[in-house]
Amino acid sequence: MGRLIFCLFLFFQISYGDRFYLDGYDWTFRSLNNSYAGQANVPGDIYIDLYRNGLTNNPLYGNGDQDYRWVGRTAWIYEKIFDLQSNVINSNDIVLVFESLDTVVDAYLNMQHLFSSKNQFTPVQISVKTVLQSTQNNLTLVFQSPVEYAINQSTAYRNKHGHDIPPDTANTGSSSFAEPHPNFIRKTQSSFSWDWGPSFPTVGVAKSAYLEYFANAAIYQVSPLITKNQADSFFQLQADVYVLCQSGTTATIALNITEISLATSQTFTNINCVSGVPQNLSQVFKVPTNVINLWYPNGYGPQTLYTLNTQVIVNGNTVSQNSMKIGFRTVELVQDNVTVANQFKGLTFYFKVNDIPVFIKGSNYIPIDPFPAQTFTSRKQFLLQSMQEANMNALRIWGGGLFEMDEFYNFADQYGILLWHDQMFGCALYSADDDFIQLLLPEFTNQVIRLRHHPSILNWAGNNENEVAVSTQWWHVSNYTKSMEIQDYVTLYVKNMQPLITSLDPSRPFVLSSPSNGKETEEEGGVSTKINSYSPFYGDIHFYSYKGNIWNNSIFEIPRCATEFGAQSLPLKGTMTHWIKSDEWTHGSHWLNARQHHPDGNGQNLNLVFLHFELPPQCEGYKLGNDCPYINSSTTFLEEYSYLTQVFQAIAMQTESEHYRRYKATLDSDGHGLTMCALYWQLNDVWAAPTWASIDYDLNWKVLHYYARRFFAPFIVSLYFDSSMKLQVYIVSDEVQSRNGCSLLSTKSAAIMGLNTTQLDFQSDITAKNITLNDDDTFVIRAVIKDQNGASITPTTILLPDKMKQISNTNYGDATITSVTQVDPATFNVTLTASKIVPILWLDIKPEVKETYQLKYWFSDNAFTMTDPQVTVQLKIFSSIRPTVTLTTQDFIVSRMKMSSSQTTTPTPNPVTQCINSWHKETTTPNKCFISVPRNEARSEANFDCSVFGKNASLKLK
C-alpha cells in the first residue's frame, strides 16, 4: 500500500499584469433560430455545451458523429454579460483579446460591431476602452455554420474561376462520413472528418479570452529567437517583446536568465503605440556557450531549460512582467550529395542537433481530441511521456490538425521530443487568391512568433501531401490543369509561406511539403516534376501497403527518411465497450463499419491478419470475409481478433522500422540507403475505432507501443530472413559513444517442447544454412546483447515465423501471475511464471479495478514472447483519482494470442522430407523436427568489439 503522488511539471509562459479573464461557465449559447439554448463554457465548443446541457448525448458515444451532423450545419450565438470594477473601467486603455475563435464569427460589444474573424489560428486584439461600461456589458459572438460557410466559399470560388478546387470531401473515401470543402475554411481540417476520425466541425471560443487593461504598458507576448553561427562561442538571443501601450510611453525592457545570472536592459523612448496593436520592443544579447548546458533530444543528452524573465519598467515601476522557459540548441538539415563521383544517386536528408546526426524515430500526432478546446493537460503529458518511455525522440505534428496549445510544446521541451511541425494544410489544394493569402499571412506570423522559442521544434514543413497530390495528379478537375495547380501551389507555399516563415525563424529548417524531395524540389521551383515526388533518393517519403505481406522487408522502400508509414489495428474490448453497447461488440455489427473510415479497411484487416495467423476453425468452408457467421456474430472472435490485429500491426511496424534503422549507415550500389528517419503513423486516437494509433483513445498502450519501446531502443539486435530464407543479424546503435567487450547471445528454440531452446551458431547456422522448418511454425529465435558483466544492454529480440498457423496449439503455454509487490506509491513489480513458451502474452489490470481507480499506466514490458520460466515487469502508474492504490495478484489478468475453438483441431503442417543438420525427425510425429538441448538452455556466445561499428552505426554480422 502506498500513496500515489502525481506530479505535473508544466513550463508555462506566465505573464504578470492586469487581465480580466472572460473564461468560465457564465456564457450562454443559442442557435440562430432559437431552437436550442443553454449555459456555455469558454474555452469550449458547441458539441460539449449541448451535451452538458442535456440537449444531446455524449457525441463520442455510439453514432454521435452521424446523429449530430446538424450541429456543424447550424449557426450559433454565444453571449456573456459582465460587470467591471472601477480599476478596470478607469484604466487608460483596455484591449479585448481572443486567443482563438473557431471560426467564422462577428463580434459585438454593447450592440456595437467590433470585428469579423475567419481564421481559427489567428488571435484577435482590439481596443474596447470607448465601448465598455461599468455594468451589464454584453459581448455577443455570432458564428456562422462552418459547413455552410465552406460550401458557400467553394461555390463563390467556382463562380469566379470556372473550376473547383479538390477534393470535395476530407480524406475518408466516403462522403457519408465527411463534410465537404474543409480547404475553404481556416480551421482544423480533420474536424470535417478523416480516415481515422469523425466529423465534428466545432464552433466556439477555442482558447482564453480576456481584457488587458493598463495605465502605460502591458506585455502581450515575449518571443525569443535563439540562433548560433557554427564558429561562434555564443548564442544570440533576440528577445522580441510585444507590448500593448499608450502612445508616447517611455519604457525600459529588462531581461534576465535566472539560472546563469545573465541580465540586460534597454530603454525605449516615446514609443509610437497604436491602441490595440502590440508593438515589438526588440533587443539582442549574447549568451556564452561556456555558461550554459545544451538541450538535447531524448536519448542524446539532458533536456536543460532556462528561465527567461522579462519586465516592463515605467517611471521606475515594474508595470508588467513575463516568465518563460527556453533552451539552447542548434539544428541543421543536411542535404549533400551521397557520393561525389555520382551525383545522380541523390542527396542525403538528415538532421544534426548540436552537431550530432540524429536518427529521427517516433510517430505522428493528430489532434488531441475532436473537441480540443477542452482541458487535456494530463492527456497531452501522458502521450509525450509515453513517447519518452518508448525510446522515441520525434513526433510529427500533422498538417491536417491544429497548432497545439502552449502546454503541449512545453511537454515536448521537457521530455526531449523533437517536433517536425507541418503548417495546417493537408491532402488538398487551396486557393491562391489574394484575399485567401491575406487571411493566411497573419496566421503564419502569429504561430511562428508564438512557438519559435521552443527547442523541441525541429523544423517547419509547408503542408501534408499537397505537393505529391499536385505532381502525381490525385484529382482531375475540369478547367483546372496541372500547370494551373502548380502555379497556385507555388504562389501559396513558395512565394508567400516560405519567405515569411524563414525570415521570422532562421533558427530551424523549412521544407515545402511532406513528403517531398527536399532540396531537389526547391531547385525545381517547388513541385517535383522531373523526379518522382516519392523518390527514395531525396527528402522524405510516406509509405503504405494494404495488400501482400508487410512483415516482409522486400516490400518497403529504402528512403532517406520515412515520415509516415502504418498499419491498422482495433482497440481491445475494454476500450470499445466504453463507447458502444456491449452487445454490439461483434465484427458484423454496425459500429465497425460506421467507425472504420478507411475504404475497405475491415476487409483489408481480415486479409492482412489471417495471412499470418490461423483462421477460426468455425469458418472452415467459408470465405475469409463477413460471410462466416462466426466472424460476424461471435464476441469471442472479436475479442481474440482485436488482439491479433494489434500483434499484426506491431510486427509490421517493427519490421518496417528496423528495416529503416538498418540502413542508417548503409548506401547500396544503386544509391539507396542512409535512412535517418522512421516516424510511424500514428501515435494517438481521437475516438475509439479501428485506426493506426499505438495508444488508444482511453490512453491504453496498444501492442505496438510496447513493441516500439523495444525496436526504438538506442541499441538493438535486428533479425530477419532474407529472400533465401537465411537469417540475417544486424546490430543497430543510436548511441553517441562506442561500446567495447559486448557479446551477442542468440538462441533458437523449436518443436515447442517446454522452454527448451538451442543456440544457433551464427557463424554458420544463421547465415549459411536454411533454417526454415518447411512452413512449420513451431520455432522462436531470440537474441540479446550483454555487456562484460553479463547484463543485457539491448531488449531481447524475438523473431517469430511469418506464418503462425498454430497459435492455439496446446504445446504453447500460458503465463501465471505469481506475485505483486509494491516498490513505491506509483510502481509495482509483477512476477510471471510459465512452464512453456508463451507467444506474445498480454498483461493488464482488470477492467473493474481500472474503473475504480481511474488508472492511467503502462508496464515496463508487455506483449512479449515469454521464453524464460520467470519474468518480472514493472507497472508504472501515471495517474489515479485515488491517493492510495492497492493491487494484488487478483487485480491482474494475463492472456496470450490464440484463436479459440469449440472443437479440437490441430492443423496439419506440410510433411518434412528431411531435417537440417543437427535436427532429428520425431518418431511419433514424422512431420516435426527437434533438437535436444539441456533443460538449463545450452548457449554459445560470439564476442565482438562494439567499437568496430562505433557510434551511430548499424552492423551486419556475417
Side-chain angles (χ1 to χ4, degrees):
M1 180 181 292
R3 189 170 183 81
L4 180 62
I5 302 171
F6 172 43
C7 296
L8 183 65
F9 297 98
L10 290 176
F11 300 117
F12 284 115
Q13 178 174 169
I14 303 172
S15 292
Y16 301 92
D18 295 317
R19 287 183 179 176
F20 179 85
Y21 276 92
L22 301 171
D23 299 352
Y25 288 90
D26 53 351
W27 289 69
T28 60
F29 74 88
R30 66 180 186 276
S31 57
L32 189 62
N33 62 8
N34 292 314
S35 298
Y36 296 89
Q39 295 297 123
N41 183 44
V42 167
D45 67 83
I46 186 59
Y47 289 93
I48 300 303
D49 288 333
L50 287 165
Y51 172 51
R52 285 179 176 148
N53 281 269
L55 299 173
T56 65
N57 294 322
N58 188 327
L60 288 175
Y61 189 82
N63 296 319
D65 61 319
Q66 297 301 301
D67 294 341
Y68 305 127
R69 290 186 76 165
W70 58 270
V71 175
R73 300 172 181 178
T74 301
W76 297 94
I77 299 173
Y78 276 70
E79 189 174 32
K80 180 182 177 77
I81 308 295
F82 60 96
D83 300 335
L84 294 175
Q85 294 180 346
S86 59
N87 64 317
V88 179
I89 198 68
N90 293 329
S91 57
N92 288 340
D93 201 0
I94 306 173
V95 177
L96 173 63
V97 178
F98 286 100
E99 294 180 350
S100 176
L101 288 165
D102 184 13
T103 296
V104 183
V105 60
D106 285 282
Y108 299 84
L109 180 59
N110 297 328
M111 306 302 291
Q112 181 174 323
H113 184 264
L114 291 180
F115 62 85
S116 298
S117 178
K118 298 178 180 179
N119 193 324
Q120 176 185 354
F121 308 127
T122 301
V124 176
Q125 314 94 23
I126 185 170
S127 178
V128 291
K129 166 69 176 176
T130 60
V131 186
L132 286 165
Q133 54 202 31
S134 297
T135 61
Q136 292 296 296
N137 289 283
N138 183 305
L139 179 59
T140 301
L141 304 175
V142 181
F143 290 93
Q144 294 186 39
S145 156
V147 176
E148 297 301 323
Y149 175 84
I151 292 172
N152 292 339
Q153 291 298 111
S154 174
T155 301
Y157 182 93
R158 185 188 313 114
N159 292 338
K160 178 180 178 181
H161 294 277
H163 66 81
D164 291 316
I165 290 187
D168 291 336
T169 57
N171 183 30
T172 64
S174 173
S175 60
S176 63
F177 297 129
E179 298 293 3
H181 309 299
N183 48 342
F184 279 94
I185 183 170
R186 288 312 293 154
K187 69 184 274 86
T188 303
Q189 300 290 272
S190 59
S191 67
F192 277 42
S193 186
W194 218 263
D195 57 0
W196 40 257
S199 174
F200 289 115
T202 47
V203 167
V205 182
K207 293 184 180 180
S208 282
Y210 57 88
L211 297 172
E212 187 83 54
Y213 60 97
F214 51 90
N216 308 108
I219 294 174
Y220 171 70
Q221 186 177 45
V222 178
S223 176
L225 173 62
I226 302 171
T227 57
K228 181 182 180 297
N229 294 322
Q230 188 168 15
D232 290 342
S233 60
F234 59 86
F235 282 87
Q236 179 172 284
L237 196 159
Q238 174 185 315
D240 290 343
V241 182
Y242 292 87
V243 175
L244 297 165
C245 54
Q246 289 281 287
S247 188
T249 297
T250 294
T252 297
I253 305 298
L255 302 165
N256 72 81
I257 300 176
T258 304
E259 294 82 358
I260 56 176
S261 301
L262 186 65
T264 186
S265 65
Q266 183 175 340
T267 299
F268 298 83
T269 60
N270 196 25
I271 304 169
N272 184 22
C273 303
V274 178
S275 184
V277 179
Q279 303 297 306
N280 182 13
L281 306 181
S282 181
Q283 59 181 299
V284 177
F285 64 100
K286 296 177 181 179
V287 180
T289 56
N290 63 356
V291 301
I292 58 170
N293 293 315
L294 298 178
W295 182 96
Y296 288 90
N298 183 36
Y300 289 83
Q303 290 74 56
T304 306
L305 297 169
Y306 294 89
T307 307
L308 175 65
N309 301 300
T310 305
Q311 293 177 303
V312 177
I313 302 170
V314 178
N315 298 325
N317 298 314
T318 299
V319 298
S320 186
Q321 54 188 323
N322 173 283
S323 179
M324 65 192 307
K325 289 291 185 179
I326 59 173
F328 296 91
R329 60 95 185 97
T330 60
V331 174
E332 178 187 0
L333 174 57
V334 181
Q335 299 184 80
D336 295 334
N337 292 321
V338 295
T339 64
V340 176
N342 190 344
Q343 297 184 8
F344 294 101
K345 291 186 178 181
L347 304 175
T348 62
F349 189 92
Y350 67 93
F351 294 91
K352 293 171 71 175
V353 179
N354 301 328
D355 293 324
I356 300 172
V358 174
F359 188 95
I360 302 301
K361 54 187 180 182
S363 190
N364 284 256
Y365 177 79
I366 61 174
I368 192 70
D369 193 86
F371 314 111
Q374 310 303 313
T375 301
F376 291 113
T377 302
S378 178
R379 189 176 187 86
K380 294 169 189 176
Q381 184 182 18
F382 181 91
L383 290 173
L384 286 163
Q385 190 173 347
S386 293
M387 290 191 68
Q388 183 191 56
E389 289 286 333
N391 295 304
M392 301 181 191
N393 61 31
L395 182 66
R396 177 169 169 256
I397 310 300
W398 169 73
L402 75 164
F403 297 96
E404 259 290 352
M405 297 183 183
D406 293 339
E407 62 188 5
F408 179 90
Y409 302 96
N410 295 330
F411 285 134
D413 293 345
Q414 177 185 345
Y415 293 118
I417 305 302
L418 295 167
L419 302 176
W420 172 304
H421 207 307
D422 289 358
Q423 298 295 308
M424 295 303 122
F425 302 86
C427 295
L429 305 187
Y430 292 82
S431 169
D433 283 0
D434 186 64
D435 58 349
F436 191 69
I437 297 294
Q438 294 307 312
L439 183 66
L440 296 175
L441 295 180
E443 170 189 326
F444 304 155
T445 299
N446 278 278
Q447 294 300 333
V448 171
I449 286 175
R450 176 173 74 96
L451 298 173
R452 67 185 182 182
H453 70 279
H454 288 283
S456 57
I457 297 180
L458 177 70
N459 67 303
W460 301 112
N463 60 73
N464 172 74
E465 297 183 354
N466 294 355
E467 181 201 337
V468 71
V470 172
S471 65
T472 61
Q473 289 286 274
W474 281 8
W475 308 284
H476 297 277
V477 180
S478 299
N479 302 320
Y480 196 35
T481 64
K482 182 176 182 179
S483 62
M484 294 167 66
E485 291 182 9
I486 292 175
Q487 181 179 351
D488 286 349
Y489 181 94
V490 169
T491 297
L492 173 52
Y493 301 107
V494 180
K495 295 181 179 180
N496 284 280
M497 179 192 289
Q498 184 177 23
L500 178 57
I501 290 179
T502 54
S503 67
L504 291 169
D505 187 8
S507 70
R508 50 181 53 87
F510 176 92
V511 295
L512 282 169
S513 184
S514 179
S516 80
N517 289 337
K519 191 176 180 180
E520 172 65 24
T521 289
E522 294 193 33
E523 291 178 353
E524 289 192 49
V527 176
S528 291
T529 55
K530 298 177 185 177
I531 298 173
N532 172 18
S533 52
Y534 277 116
S535 172
F537 301 112
Y538 304 90
D540 66 311
I541 69 164
H542 296 180
F543 179 88
Y544 295 87
S545 178
Y546 300 104
K547 295 180 180 179
N549 184 0
I550 59 174
W551 289 8
N552 189 319
N553 295 282
S554 64
I555 200 171
F556 306 126
E557 294 276 6
I558 307 172
R560 304 289 186 243
C561 174
T563 47
E564 269 195 41
F565 55 94
Q568 279 198 342
S569 69
L570 275 69
L572 298 182
K573 181 179 181 180
T575 294
M576 280 310 312
T577 52
H578 283 166
W579 303 102
I580 64 169
K581 295 178 181 178
S582 297
D583 59 7
E584 293 180 346
W585 175 246
T586 62
H587 194 275
S589 69
H590 163 76
W591 78 268
L592 192 61
N593 288 320
R595 289 178 178 247
Q596 173 61 273
H597 288 189
H598 176 60
D600 193 33
N602 294 330
Q604 289 173 353
N605 290 341
L606 281 171
N607 287 319
L608 288 167
V609 168
F610 288 115
L611 176 67
H612 301 280
F613 299 111
E614 64 187 271
L615 282 167
Q618 295 88 341
C619 292
E620 185 176 351
Y622 288 92
K623 294 180 180 179
L624 181 57
N626 281 347
D627 62 339
C628 174
Y630 179 73
I631 288 178
N632 261 341
S633 59
S634 171
T635 58
T636 300
F637 167 79
L638 191 54
E639 189 161 353
E640 295 173 343
Y641 171 71
S642 60
Y643 185 60
L644 289 184
T645 68
Q646 292 196 15
V647 172
F648 163 78
Q649 176 195 38
I651 295 176
M653 293 302 94
Q654 176 188 24
T655 304
E656 190 164 357
S657 298
E658 291 187 7
H659 166 78
Y660 296 137
R661 292 191 70 185
R662 288 194 300 269
Y663 273 95
K664 65 178 294 185
T666 300
L667 185 71
D668 68 20
S669 59
D670 294 327
H672 294 94
L674 302 183
T675 307
M676 286 294 286
C677 313
L679 301 177
Y680 68 76
W681 185 270
Q682 65 202 63
L683 176 68
N684 57 309
D685 263 338
V686 297
W687 69 337
T691 73
W692 296 258
S694 64
I695 298 177
D696 72 22
Y697 185 66
D698 284 358
L699 297 185
N700 297 299
W701 285 21
K702 288 183 175 181
V703 172
L704 169 55
H705 211 79
Y706 286 106
Y707 263 65
R709 191 177 205 172
R710 298 190 288 267
F711 65 67
F712 278 151
F715 199 21
I716 64 168
V717 184
S718 180
L719 308 174
Y720 74 98
F721 286 106
D722 66 15
S723 58
S724 301
M725 288 307 295
K726 293 180 180 178
L727 184 62
Q728 304 297 326
V729 180
Y730 281 73
I731 311 300
V732 181
S733 174
D734 291 337
E735 294 183 339
V736 176
Q737 302 298 323
S738 299
R739 287 179 178 266
N740 297 312
C742 305
S743 300
L744 174 68
L745 172 67
S746 179
T747 60
K748 179 178 184 297
S749 61
I752 316 300
M753 299 174 62
L755 288 175
N756 292 333
T757 59
T758 183
Q759 172 66 43
L760 288 176
D761 175 4
F762 60 84
Q763 294 299 324
S764 55
D765 288 348
I766 285 180
T767 57
K769 296 180 181 178
N770 183 334
I771 65 166
T772 181
L773 298 184
N774 297 301
D775 294 330
D776 189 357
D777 63 4
T778 53
F779 70 88
V780 174
I781 300 172
R782 182 178 72 173
V784 65
I785 294 179
K786 294 180 179 289
D787 64 15
Q788 293 170 314
N789 299 317
S792 297
I793 56 176
T794 66
T796 297
T797 298
I798 298 290
L799 181 63
L800 296 171
D802 181 77
K803 297 199 170 28
M804 291 180 275
K805 300 295 187 178
Q806 300 188 56
I807 58 173
S808 301
N809 194 310
T810 55
N811 285 326
Y812 284 114
D814 293 297
T816 302
I817 302 167
T818 54
S819 70
V820 174
T821 58
Q822 188 157 17
V823 178
D824 60 47
T827 308
F828 292 80
N829 284 340
V830 182
T831 299
L832 305 165
T833 59
S835 59
K836 299 178 180 179
I837 290 175
V838 183
I840 312 185
L841 66 78
W842 184 250
L843 176 65
D844 208 348
I845 299 173
K846 289 182 177 178
E848 60 271 21
V849 180
K850 289 187 198 180
E851 194 69 27
T852 298
Y853 289 105
Q854 291 290 293
L855 290 174
K856 303 300 177 191
Y857 57 91
W858 54 75
F859 293 95
S860 61
D861 201 6
N862 204 354
F864 58 88
T865 294
M866 189 169 173
T867 57
D868 291 313
Q870 180 172 299
V871 174
T872 298
V873 299
Q874 281 199 331
L875 167 69
K876 302 294 290 186
I877 298 176
F878 173 81
S879 65
S880 170
I881 61 170
R882 296 194 177 186
T884 301
V885 176
T886 303
L887 298 172
T888 70
T889 57
Q890 301 304 308
D891 297 317
F892 292 84
I893 50 176
V894 62
S895 58
R896 66 170 176 88
M897 62 175 185
K898 64 176 66 174
M899 187 56 65
S900 296
S901 170
S902 58
Q903 58 196 55
T904 302
T905 53
T906 302
T908 303
N910 294 333
V912 174
T913 56
Q914 63 181 21
C915 297
I916 62 176
N917 291 347
S918 302
W919 293 71
H920 311 281
K921 284 186 181 181
E922 284 191 2
T923 56
T924 56
T925 312
N927 60 349
K928 287 187 180 294
C929 295
F930 75 97
I931 189 168
S932 299
V933 294
R935 175 69 177 176
N936 64 356
E937 185 176 292
R939 296 177 176 174
S940 67
E941 298 185 356
N943 297 309
F944 64 93
D945 186 347
C946 293
S947 64
V948 299
F949 65 96
K951 59 188 179 182
N952 292 304
S954 65
L955 171 70
K956 177 182 178 181
L957 297 182
K958 295 183 178 179

